[in-house]
Amino acid sequence: MGLAVCYDHSGIDLAWSIFLGITAVFMLMAPLAAARLVAISRADSVGQLQTA
């Protein structure tokens, strides 16, 4: 006698797709945030050089 699987996988599939979507957004935004931080740090260092 075989045991039937009686639960639905749709909740797991939904959670997995949400996780992948959020991960994709972070992967797209991380380089932009890093570039923004580099630009801010360069502008700040230029400002320090001008006041010295």
Side-chain angles (χ1 to χ4, degrees):
M1 179 176 160
L3 296 175
V5 177
C6 297
Y7 58 90
D8 187 13
H9 290 285
S10 63
I12 295 170
D13 291 338
L14 177 63
W16 184 246
S17 65
I18 290 171
F19 171 75
L20 289 179
I22 291 172
T23 303
V25 169
F26 281 139
M27 288 178 67
L28 290 174
M29 293 193 64
L32 297 174
R36 178 77 175 144
L37 286 173
V38 168
I40 289 171
S41 67
R42 284 184 182 169
D44 197 25
S45 65
V46 169
Q48 288 176 356
L49 289 175
Q50 289 176 350
T51 57

